[in-house]
Amino acid sequence: MDNASSRLPPPSTLPSFAQSLCPTFATHFLLPSLYILLFLTALPGNALSLWVFWLFSATKSTNHVYMSHLSVSNLLLSLTTPFLAAYFASGSAWPRAGVLCLFVVHGITPMLYINIYISLMIMTWVALSRFATLIQHTHASRPSSFTILLPHSFFTSVTKASFATKVCATVWVVTVGSILPVTVFYSVNEATSGNVGKNGESQEGGGTEDEQVCYNEAVEIGGNGSKAGQLPAIVLFYLCFLMVLLSYMIVLKHIRRSRSSTTITASWRLLGRVQRNIVVIQVILTVCLLPYHIFKPIFNVMSSDHQLTSPGESLSAPGVNTTNQCHPLSQLVELKNSLVLLAALRSSTDPVMYFLLDKTFRKHIVSLLTCPPHSSAMAEYDQRTGALRVTTETPTGGQSHERDL
């Protein structure tokens, strides 16, 4: 399902037998089950993470700011998953003009894509902030060329919590401001004005039987308008992906130079921590987001070629089943939806990423999970030292003890 229900191709260019998408067991059962599983893991995991970041952080670091916003985005994304599960389970039976269909297509789906790209940009900034920390606080036998190419004020600003807050606010405004107008124009406006022809003119009329249900070609395949709107998002992903990859390569080079230096002033713990942080982010981008952004341009080209094919050519196309009247791209639509699920799955892995990347977060989670049984615990911060002080009291003996984390 694309981030906007978009222009229908001219009815004359589509053969009558190829109008119906045919969802299989994967769409009706596997996708809904996995979305429900995603909801059950992402919602509590990110709620706990957000609670730790907001209540157990005496001093806000850049990591805490980025991860707090990332947790909010993941929480919003997790709230879309029950509706997406219902869409894939029953969307082929919902009426296209029904309230549920309109809500999922015009509300839930844009919300899903908004939070996918917000998370992408925030994770990129996490990697860049870690990279800046490394360049600023360590050096090898000679300074990195980035300290010469980039002004010192950049490295100073990018590691400040106030700068991270401004970055996150900008990411939210730009992402929401970019996707919402496209959604309103190409989704809501076209849904209320009927089919849209090749040149954008509204065509009143009924349409095929498949076009009257929610799970249909217009929503799942889209037209030229939505495909053009997806290009900036695809370009944005590759820019972020390459920036994280470049940061990782520079960190590896910096570590090698530090090890070969005879006068090392670098902190080996800092070097290892920064390398681990960037590696985790790179793996998440590669496993969860890269497959969708590789496949999506290919899918757009194939669907455009199909829309431009004349009815006679479509009828004679090899591999097209003219008996069950299934759309030739039905299986590719299911593959696309599976890759969107993989991209959304990243929201349930982020709490694990927090645990691996942030020492303070890890200490707080361990302290919460290792409290003695049958005891009550209170946590408060020492304003002078910034340490988390946990006080536990046993219900029987009334004894208590304190420990600083």
Side-chain angles (χ1 to χ4, degrees):
M1 185 166 38
D2 291 315
N3 60 332
S5 174
S6 33
R7 305 185 179 190
L8 293 174
S12 60
T13 64
L14 292 175
S16 60
F17 67 85
Q19 295 296 301
S20 177
L21 293 176
C22 297
T24 64
F25 175 81
T27 295
H28 281 313
F29 181 77
L30 291 182
L31 285 179
S33 301
L34 292 174
Y35 270 115
I36 292 298
L37 180 62
L38 177 59
F39 174 77
L40 296 176
T41 55
L43 184 65
N46 286 284
L48 176 62
S49 301
L50 193 59
W51 182 65
V52 169
F53 288 134
W54 280 2
L55 296 184
F56 284 165
S57 293
T59 57
K60 294 288 184 181
S61 67
T62 54
N63 260 1
H64 292 154
V65 172
Y66 286 129
M67 292 180 185
S68 295
H69 283 267
L70 195 57
S71 295
V72 172
S73 176
N74 290 335
L75 277 176
L76 293 176
L77 189 151
S78 67
L79 294 177
T80 68
T81 53
F83 299 98
L84 294 171
Y87 167 80
F88 287 114
S90 307
S92 56
W94 289 353
R96 182 178 181 180
V99 175
L100 282 175
C101 180
L102 294 177
F103 177 66
V104 171
V105 172
H106 305 320
I108 293 299
T109 305
M111 184 175 173
L112 170 71
Y113 282 91
I114 284 172
N115 287 286
I116 285 177
Y117 287 101
I118 284 176
S119 300
L120 165 67
M121 287 186 281
I122 290 179
M123 284 193 295
T124 302
W125 275 104
V126 171
L128 293 178
S129 69
R130 297 295 85 202
F131 161 75
T133 299
L134 177 73
I135 297 299
Q136 186 180 20
H137 293 95
T138 68
H139 63 270
S141 55
R142 58 185 177 85
S144 171
S145 58
F146 279 86
T147 59
I148 302 174
L149 297 176
L150 297 175
H152 179 72
S153 58
F154 169 79
F155 294 100
T156 304
S157 299
V158 79
T159 55
K160 289 182 177 179
S162 58
F163 179 83
T165 301
K166 294 176 183 178
V167 167
C168 291
T170 303
V171 166
W172 281 94
V173 171
V174 170
T175 307
V176 175
S178 300
I179 293 181
L180 277 185
V182 175
T183 301
V184 171
F185 183 77
Y186 289 108
S187 185
V188 177
N189 183 56
E190 292 181 1
T192 57
S193 61
N195 296 349
V196 179
K198 183 175 182 180
N199 297 320
E201 298 86 354
S202 176
Q203 297 180 354
E204 303 296 337
T208 67
E209 180 181 354
D210 176 64
E211 292 166 2
Q212 303 308 311
V213 298
C214 194
Y215 186 84
N216 64 74
E217 180 189 1
V219 173
E220 292 297 332
I221 297 179
N224 294 330
S226 65
K227 291 168 187 173
Q230 292 161 13
L231 285 177
I234 295 172
V235 172
L236 172 66
F237 167 79
Y238 282 107
L239 287 177
C240 292
F241 184 84
L242 291 176
M243 281 192 291
V244 175
L245 182 61
L246 179 62
S247 299
Y248 175 63
M249 294 173 64
I250 294 173
V251 166
L252 286 181
K253 182 179 179 181
H254 192 86
I255 291 175
R256 286 196 298 267
R257 287 168 51 191
S258 298
R259 288 174 177 172
S260 61
S261 175
T262 57
T263 58
I264 298 177
T265 60
S267 168
W268 292 112
R269 294 180 62 183
L270 176 61
L271 290 171
R273 186 166 64 249
V274 171
Q275 182 185 18
R276 183 177 67 250
N277 291 359
I278 298 179
V279 166
V280 170
I281 294 173
Q282 187 72 54
V283 169
I284 291 175
L285 294 182
T286 301
V287 174
C288 295
L289 295 176
L290 182 60
Y292 171 77
H293 289 89
I294 290 176
F295 177 75
K296 187 57 180 175
I298 300 173
F299 178 81
N300 287 344
V301 171
M302 295 181 65
S303 60
S304 297
D305 290 343
H306 171 73
Q307 290 175 358
L308 294 175
T309 304
S310 64
E313 291 172 329
S314 295
L315 286 169
S316 60
V320 174
N321 190 338
T322 62
T323 303
N324 58 14
Q325 299 189 3
C326 287
H327 195 286
L329 300 179
S330 292
Q331 293 182 348
L332 292 181
V333 167
E334 292 189 316
L335 177 58
K336 171 185 70 71
N337 291 331
S338 299
L339 295 179
V340 172
L341 169 64
L342 182 61
L345 184 65
R346 178 208 47 75
S347 63
S348 66
T349 64
D350 280 351
V352 179
M353 180 184 73
Y354 307 153
F355 190 86
L356 294 175
L357 299 189
D358 192 88
K359 181 173 64 175
T360 304
F361 178 84
R362 186 162 56 248
K363 285 184 177 180
H364 295 338
I365 292 297
V366 171
S367 67
L368 290 174
L369 297 179
T370 57
C371 285
H374 307 296
S375 66
S376 59
M378 292 186 299
E380 60 180 1
Y381 266 98
D382 188 322
Q383 298 294 331
R384 181 175 58 84
T385 62
L388 177 66
R389 177 165 296 171
V390 179
T391 304
T392 58
E393 296 182 358
T394 58
T396 53
Q399 298 178 347
S400 64
H401 67 277
E402 295 182 354
R403 54 193 175 100
D404 290 339
L405 302 179

